[in-house]
Amino acid sequence: MALNIFNTLSRSVQEFVPLDPSGQRVGMYCCGPTVYDFGHIGNFRTFVFADLVRRYLEFRGFTVRHVMNITDVEDKIIRRVRETGQTLRDYTGQYEKEFFKDLGELLCLRPHDTPRATEHIAGIIALIEKLLARGVAYQTGDGSIYFSIEKYRGCGCQYGRLVKLNFEEMRAGERVSSDEYDKESLADFALWKARVPDDGAVFWPSPWGEGRPGWHIECSAMSMAILGESFDLHLGGEDLAFPHHEDEIAQSEGATGKPFAKYWMHAAHLLVEGKKMSKSLGNFFTLRDLLAKGFTGREVRQLLLSSHYRETFNFTMEGLEGARTALARLDECLAKLRELAGSTTGVPEAKLVGDFTAALDHDLNVAAGWGTVFEWVRETNRLMASGQFTAQQAAAALAAWQKIDAVFGLGAKAEAGVPPELLALLDERQAARKAKDFKRSDAIRDELKIKGWVIEDTPKGARLKRV
Ligand code: AMP
Ligand code: ZN
């Protein structure tokens, strides 16, 4: 069976066939973070989804080039820079650093390219010049440049490919200057914004005077600079379909006359306890908020990967506890398999890999993929308990899991997941036992238990395990 994905462009499930004539290389662009604050778990649902898409394409044998931009200049950032008095680079740099740290905690592979918008200003200007030359952009009195939807449609191009739009309500020449707007303000949008006093030191020279790019043109310029004028796959959260992605298509195809991205995939939003996340409701979580509660990035990743990307994800603390339990079950089974396999190696067991592939080939149905995995855990546990499992079979099962985990990306339960101060306590407990100071060693054991960890004495020494 071939890999099929839901393409927002055609609003249907389609076979994934890359543009590369040899069917090998895949160019994939995912709109990256706007680095004006810490990323929240909603943002990370989308980035973990992008990581899943890349990993699954690689699992299916494609050679993927994964690009994720860093939006380091747009309206919200400029507002914050003005408020804090920091330079643009200092302000965005701190959140960019934290973003990559969070991405690492969530065990996401680092995209191959992570271009910053501010490093692509020349390309952005060149793209706007093309749009002016082709007559689909125009300059206003203040030196700003806008994209003309009317002119674009007049050339036979379609605006409104990803979402349905009501052009009846649109008045020719009406303009919207903000980076974010909704369908009601369907209007010509800004490509280049002339410098205003509120921009402070954030401006660049251009053929039209000093100013800065609009948000949408940044992604058109960066994606095409790295992946070419036409590429395979464009991803983002569902909120970006309009206006951001619609504008990206119009700008790119308006400038090149060629099809932009062949497939568009959108991840549905994440809600918390059924509600939109908001600071005022107290249901707003960054990744670090969850880590501070004692959860690991691996557990959050498992949870975010547990349901289909096109379904709205309802994040709850119970769900996160459930992810912890699910991982513990899986880890326990894998540990037993490792013990049984010893140094035996094996070829991946075909059924497990085949069932998993069949599930994910259908528009990345991870829920069905997990169903297969947990069914396998149940059966494997049963066979191991009845003593019917050989070292050879255990090795084949482990090899199959390793293939699957190249997609889920959970890795082995890392000792590194144990906070260093607890590892230090564990060492102290071992030293106390050696010195026959059992009072101290018991006190440490109790202290660890309160913190949610138990000591497991194994032939290889003592380890910490979550309660
Ligand atoms: P931003 O940093 O605001 O540009 O957003 C980065 C990515 O996160 C975009 O792809 C958004 O669509 C996505 N995103 C924002 N909020 C949510 C949410 N609540 N659930 C899922 N994805 C989101
Ligand atoms: Zn974008």
Side-chain angles (χ1 to χ4, degrees), residues 91-379:
Y91 184 78
T92 58
Q94 59 191 338
Y95 291 113
E96 183 186 309
K97 193 165 144 243
E98 297 304 326
F99 171 76
F100 282 115
K101 209 163 120 196
D102 287 352
L103 210 60
E105 288 282 355
L106 288 168
L107 307 170
C108 290
L109 297 174
R110 184 135 178 159
H112 302 98
D113 304 82
T114 53
R116 294 188 188 112
T118 53
E119 288 164 358
H120 279 258
I121 301 291
I124 291 169
I125 290 174
L127 194 57
I128 299 174
E129 282 188 310
K130 267 194 198 165
L131 291 167
L132 283 165
R134 291 179 74 115
V136 290
Y138 60 93
Q139 186 164 21
T140 53
D142 68 345
S144 294
I145 311 285
Y146 279 82
F147 186 90
S148 167
I149 294 179
E150 197 190 3
K151 291 271 166 52
Y152 180 67
R153 294 179 77 209
C155 302
C157 294
Q158 194 190 340
Y159 185 82
R161 310 257 306 267
L162 301 168
V163 289
K164 275 207 166 66
L165 294 169
N166 183 1
F167 289 99
E168 305 287 293
E169 283 170 13
M170 186 179 172
R171 273 173 294 173
E174 207 164 306
R175 290 187 289 273
V176 52
S177 64
S178 56
D179 282 334
E180 289 174 76
Y181 52 92
D182 53 29
K183 279 201 238 174
E184 279 61 56
S185 27
L186 173 62
D188 291 357
F189 55 92
L191 300 168
W192 185 261
K193 305 185 191 192
R195 182 182 172 193
V196 293
D198 273 353
D199 291 343
V202 183
F203 62 87
W204 288 264
S206 83
W208 323 288
E210 289 167 341
R212 62 180 172 102
W215 170 37
H216 317 298
I217 196 79
E218 296 176 4
C219 278
S220 287
M222 287 184 275
S223 58
M224 291 198 289
I226 296 169
L227 297 173
E229 293 176 339
S230 299
F231 59 90
D232 300 292
L233 191 53
H234 198 311
L235 314 176
E238 62 181 354
D239 59 315
L240 298 192
F242 184 87
H244 187 56
H245 291 161
E246 206 62 62
D247 290 351
E248 271 191 55
I249 296 176
Q251 295 159 153
S252 308
E253 300 194 356
T256 68
K258 294 178 192 157
F260 182 47
K262 185 173 177 188
Y263 302 93
W264 288 81
M265 293 176 91
H266 290 98
H269 260 201
L270 173 145
L271 302 175
V272 175
E273 310 277 358
K275 296 200 180 76
K276 193 176 164 177
M277 250 195 310
S278 90
K279 288 192 174 146
S280 58
L281 283 178
N283 68 349
F284 184 95
F285 293 108
T286 60
L287 177 65
R288 56 207 58 224
D289 292 333
L290 300 178
L291 299 184
K293 288 180 189 291
F295 291 99
T296 62
R298 185 171 177 254
E299 288 162 347
V300 178
R301 180 181 177 90
Q302 202 282 336
L303 178 64
L304 294 179
L305 283 178
S306 61
S307 71
H308 197 276
Y309 74 92
R310 282 198 289 127
E311 276 168 23
T312 300
F313 189 90
N314 190 25
F315 176 90
T316 62
M317 280 301 160
E318 294 82 71
L320 194 48
E321 294 285 353
R324 172 173 285 179
T325 309
L327 273 176
R329 242 173 78 214
L330 179 63
D331 287 336
E332 203 178 326
C333 175
L334 294 170
K336 279 193 257 165
L337 282 172
R338 275 188 213 105
E339 214 172 301
L340 191 58
S343 55
T344 313
T345 53
V347 287
E349 194 222 309
K351 179 164 173 11
L352 176 61
V353 178
D355 289 351
F356 170 81
T357 309
L360 271 84
D361 269 355
H362 192 70
D363 196 26
L364 298 170
N365 190 345
V366 284
W370 278 115
T372 300
V373 168
F374 281 108
E375 182 54 40
W376 166 78
V377 167
R378 202 172 306 123
E379 185 58 12

Side-chain angles (χ1 to χ4, degrees), residues 452-466:
W453 298 80
V454 285
I455 300 166
E456 243 195 340
D457 286 303
T458 74
K460 286 187 194 141
R463 286 191 331 186
L464 283 179
K465 208 179 138 186
R466 283 205 176 272

